[in-house]
Amino acid sequence: MAISKEEIIHIAKLACLNLSEEEIEQYTKDMQEILEFANRINQVNTEGMDETIGANRKDNVFRKDEVIPFANREILLQNAPSQDEGMFSIPKVIH
Amino acid sequence: MELYEYTVHELVKKLENGEVTSTDITKSYLDRIKEKDPQVKAYVSVLEEKALAKAKQVDDNRKAGTPVSQFAGIPIGIKDNMCMTGIRTTCSSKMLENFIAPYDATVIEKFNKEDMVYLGKLNMDEFAMGSSTEYSAFFKTANPWDLSRVPGGSSGGSAAAVAAEMAPWALGSDTGGSIRQPASLCGVVGLKPTYGLVSRYGLVAFASSLDQIGPITKDVTDAAMLLNLIAGHDNKDATSINIEKKDYTQSLINNVKGMKIGLPKEYLGEGINEEVKQAILDVAKKYEELGATVEECSLDVGKYATAVYYIIACAEASSNLGRFDGIRYGYRTEKFNDLRDIYKNSRSEGFGPEVKRRIILGTYVLSSGYYDAYYKKAQKVRTVIKNAYDTLFEKYDILLTPTSPTTAFKMGEKSNNPLEMYLADIYTVPVNIGGLPGMSIPCALDSKGMPIGFQLIGKAFDETTIFKAAYTYEQNTNFRENKPTFKGGEK
């Protein structure tokens, strides 16, 4: 299953990445090689096999849905590239 | 003998006897870092002031007769993907270059309770994606045994720091071999615990169903002590398991008589370096001499593990790294007109080439039309591999394999060929697929003077047998008489 440049462009869009012409070339080539290698999994008979979801536990983990207030707003905002009046600031969305 | 040359269990005794102070030990390491790190480049940040302040506080407490915990005042290095309040946590990525963690990882909380001393944060492949630490966005770390070679990865900074005695021990994280492979390439001990034994809370996520935090140490005893400190159930990590707490130092028993060791033949087949193969056969012979039985066995489906791994790990990574959008934290582009531009440009400028490659692969295998063929199929093959391990462990107590097919390779040798780099992990990846514990123990030097490590794989939550076998080997051999030479540096 060869992957095309167009597919890489589509995937990059889904992943929210801009790729340069060079990167598109490079990743198309890389993906072809990696997927060719990955296709070997089709040699394994998996009939009747379940998918492994968690590594070592199959039970669901529940906890009470409790609100635990975190008072230090400044600490949460300290890494924001842009903030205004105690809020994350972004460009106008609705025009 | 300098203080930085001792193991942690030796340093703990010296502190208890009052022979040395934490300040003495901390200074010894900080001086060593000043001397060696310009060549090795293991540290992203050195926390000199904080370390000395903490050491002094512990010394003052000891002097005043206040009871202190066993590891109070012992220094440690931390891989730079674990959060520490108020400290830069970069994942060696431009994306998080200025990120100050707002909380402590659970493992750090545990160290804080012990009053341990943080020497600094250690270099890694960006977001732990790589096997050589060459994919760090900041700088490459060198192997202390030959500075022109890689230390392995992704916990290359942690392994190189311990090997170069710039930290008595360190934490790494292991998603497909990122503790064991660099430990092997740097001649130190590295343990990936069973998935679920150590809380991942505060570890920046790469592939959540595979990631585990674990110790990188000078010897097996230190590894048992460090695992004691970090293991345990945590409500903040739903995948951590609530089992009775063990004291792993109780497993440091010099006796493997009657132990059944399986030697999977596929691990010694195609692609392995002859010297590595010979070293592993020598280890097998040693175990037989010591009273264990070593028997060849087969793990045929192991050859699919690397393919399964890159599908699952990249799928999970593409989802985990979706959070980096340039809004709440992390790098934000300067070039934008609207919100969409911020997302796209911040991610494109903030992530390095290998991270993008894996996001693309992961997005592809999860995308409509390919999900069943790749992701779902890989999840099923994962079950087949887990079952194959279960079958082997009905017969054997433990498995013996090489950790890495080769010793440390030259910088630049594989960094332009992603698939070749991925194959550096063929012996370690299956262990993460199975969620099992695995340890790399140094056993020999090759003809170039580079360390070779062997891997012991145990049943889930049976670190005990690994420690027993590793300790017995270590007590009856003398690898630790070898020291890194720091050769191969540019003049």
Side-chain angles (χ1 to χ4, degrees):
Chain A
M1 208 176 337
I3 185 167
S4 64
K5 267 168 72 168
E6 288 66 36
E7 274 179 296
I8 292 290
I9 293 166
H10 171 65
I11 293 297
K13 202 174 148 197
L14 292 178
C16 235
L17 290 170
N18 290 323
L19 298 183
S20 66
E21 264 310 308
E22 278 165 22
E23 283 177 311
I24 293 168
E25 288 283 337
Q26 183 64 46
Y27 289 138
T28 306
K29 187 179 147 277
D30 293 345
M31 287 308 128
Q32 282 169 352
E33 272 178 37
I34 295 166
L35 290 170
E36 195 190 311
F37 173 78
N39 278 329
R40 63 166 60 190
I41 60 170
N42 292 311
Q43 297 163 16
V44 186
N45 180 4
T46 53
E47 224 182 283
M49 284 290 163
D50 286 334
E51 297 148 59
T52 294
I53 305 296
N56 280 325
R57 61 188 297 172
K58 293 184 172 70
D59 57 322
N60 231 328
V61 181
F62 295 102
R63 62 166 171 78
K64 278 194 181 149
D65 190 16
E66 288 168 325
V67 178
I68 305 169
F70 186 88
N72 199 337
R73 184 199 293 243
E74 264 144 50
I75 267 200
L76 290 182
L77 282 166
Q78 72 185 358
N79 288 295
S82 172
Q83 50 165 298
D84 194 13
E85 294 177 40
M87 287 177 276
F88 298 112
S89 157
I90 57 168
K92 195 171 172 186
V93 179
I94 303 162
H95 293 276
Chain B
M1 201 163 153
E2 300 289 337
L3 282 175
Y4 61 72
E5 292 176 83
Y6 290 98
T7 58
V8 173
H9 54 93
E10 289 162 343
L11 291 174
V12 165
K13 280 204 190 107
K14 285 183 181 296
L15 279 174
E16 280 170 0
N17 296 341
E19 237 180 279
V20 297
T21 64
S22 172
T23 303
D24 296 335
I25 297 172
T26 305
K27 275 189 176 157
S28 174
Y29 278 101
L30 290 169
D31 288 347
R32 179 73 170 172
I33 292 168
K34 275 179 200 141
E35 184 199 339
K36 290 296 179 193
D37 209 40
Q39 288 177 290
V40 178
K41 296 184 179 166
Y43 281 91
V44 173
S45 334
V46 178
L47 303 169
E48 179 165 358
E49 260 174 55
K50 278 187 178 6
L52 288 171
K54 187 76 194 178
K56 185 175 179 301
Q57 184 203 324
V58 173
D59 288 338
D60 289 348
N61 285 345
R62 271 187 211 275
K63 230 184 276 169
T66 317
V68 296
S69 53
Q70 191 187 2
F71 297 97
I74 292 288
I76 189 163
I78 309 289
K79 186 177 182 179
D80 207 11
N81 59 352
M82 294 172 220
C83 289
M84 285 164 70
T85 308
I87 306 285
R88 224 158 56 103
T89 298
T90 69
C91 282
S92 291
S93 177
K94 187 177 171 188
M95 183 60 88
L96 290 174
E97 194 168 1
N98 298 309
F99 176 74
I100 309 288
Y103 64 92
D104 286 319
T106 295
V107 289
I108 298 298
E109 230 170 67
K110 288 171 186 274
F111 293 157
N112 288 346
K113 280 188 194 133
E114 285 285 322
D115 278 323
M116 283 164 67
V117 173
Y118 304 109
L119 291 169
K121 304 295 293 285
L122 293 154
N123 199 21
M124 53 189 278
D125 287 295
E126 183 178 357
F127 283 102
M129 297 175 182
S131 310
S132 69
T133 315
E134 289 170 290
Y135 296 144
S136 163
F138 305 144
F139 45 81
K140 296 175 172 64
T141 297
N143 191 311
W145 298 79
D146 179 344
L147 299 167
S148 67
R149 292 177 186 271
V150 303
S154 67
S155 312
S158 301
V162 174
E165 301 184 300
M166 297 190 293
W169 58 6
L171 281 188
S173 68
D174 189 316
T175 306
S178 282
I179 287 174
R180 291 158 289 155
Q181 186 257 13
S184 176
L185 270 46
C186 289
V188 293
V189 173
L191 170 71
K192 184 206 89 80
T194 307
Y195 184 84
L197 186 64
V198 179
S199 169
R200 293 179 293 110
Y201 180 75
L203 169 72
V204 180
F206 160 14
S208 305
S209 81
L210 301 160
D211 298 340
Q212 265 296 279
I213 295 171
I216 295 181
T217 57
K218 287 180 177 177
D219 72 359
V220 177
T221 303
D222 281 2
M225 294 195 311
L226 190 44
L227 186 62
N228 276 352
L229 282 173
I230 60 175
H233 178 248
D234 180 11
N235 281 330
K236 291 175 184 156
D237 174 2
T239 61
S240 84
I241 305 247
N242 203 348
I243 50 169
E244 206 186 323
K245 206 151 164 62
K246 289 182 193 166
D247 175 3
Y248 296 99
T249 61
Q250 297 293 316
S251 318
L252 302 171
I253 300 161
N254 184 358
N255 183 5
V256 288
K257 285 200 182 76
M259 193 180 279
K260 282 180 258 161
I261 302 177
L263 187 68
K265 61 175 190 242
E266 292 83 3
Y267 281 68
L268 296 168
E270 206 184 331
I272 191 170
N273 171 283
E274 273 306 311
E275 289 185 77
V276 174
K277 182 177 173 178
Q278 192 51 52
I280 303 309
L281 293 174
D282 290 345
V283 172
K285 213 171 126 204
K286 190 78 199 173
Y287 274 122
E288 280 184 326
E289 282 168 27
L290 293 167
T293 57
V294 182
E295 196 178 278
E296 195 180 271
C297 61
S298 172
L299 187 71
D300 189 39
V301 291
K303 63 174 177 273
Y304 303 110
T306 306
V308 168
Y309 172 79
Y310 278 94
I311 292 168
I312 293 174
C314 293
E316 292 182 14
S318 74
S319 167
N320 274 328
L321 271 56
R323 71 191 64 175
F324 296 101
D325 56 6
I327 305 293
R328 292 154 301 155
Y329 46 78
Y331 175 84
R332 177 182 285 192
T333 181
E334 284 171 1
K335 289 174 269 173
F336 63 89
N337 291 314
D338 59 17
L339 190 60
R340 192 81 193 161
D341 288 346
I342 291 191
Y343 295 159
K344 279 193 130 179
N345 295 344
S346 300
R347 290 167 62 79
S348 306
E349 293 163 26
F351 291 137
E354 178 62 19
V355 175
K356 285 187 208 169
R357 187 180 290 120
R358 296 201 194 193
I359 291 174
I360 288 168
L361 178 60
T363 307
Y364 180 79
V365 299
L366 289 175
S367 67
S368 142
Y370 300 105
Y371 180 88
D372 283 359
Y374 288 107
Y375 186 67
K376 200 170 175 186
K377 177 76 183 179
Q379 293 280 63
K380 287 182 177 174
V381 178
R382 185 172 184 183
T383 308
V384 173
I385 294 169
K386 280 170 75 86
N387 292 348
Y389 273 119
D390 288 346
T391 308
L392 279 180
F393 282 124
E394 280 169 19
K395 207 170 165 194
Y396 302 104
D397 299 313
I398 204 164
L399 303 176
L400 164 65
T401 76
T403 307
S404 162
T406 64
T407 53
F409 42 92
K410 289 267 186 193
M411 284 185 187
E413 197 178 316
K414 296 185 184 186
S415 51
N416 294 321
N417 187 334
L419 190 55
E420 209 180 303
M421 187 72 92
Y422 296 174
L423 295 176
D425 294 331
I426 47 172
Y427 302 142
T428 47
V429 152
V431 178
N432 301 72
I433 296 294
L436 306 173
M439 184 190 268
S440 180
I441 302 107
C443 59
L445 295 178
D446 73 1
S447 52
K448 296 188 189 78
M450 299 309 290
I452 300 171
F454 69 94
Q455 178 177 233
L456 294 174
I457 306 168
K459 292 171 206 168
F461 301 104
D462 188 20
E463 278 77 4
T464 301
T465 307
I466 293 182
F467 276 119
K468 199 173 156 189
Y471 183 75
T472 304
Y473 180 85
E474 193 183 66
Q475 293 301 305
N476 290 281
T477 51
N478 53 5
F479 178 85
R480 283 207 61 233
E481 286 170 16
N482 300 297
K483 291 265 186 180
T485 55
F486 300 94
K487 69 183 179 192
E490 285 154 326
K491 285 276 159 344

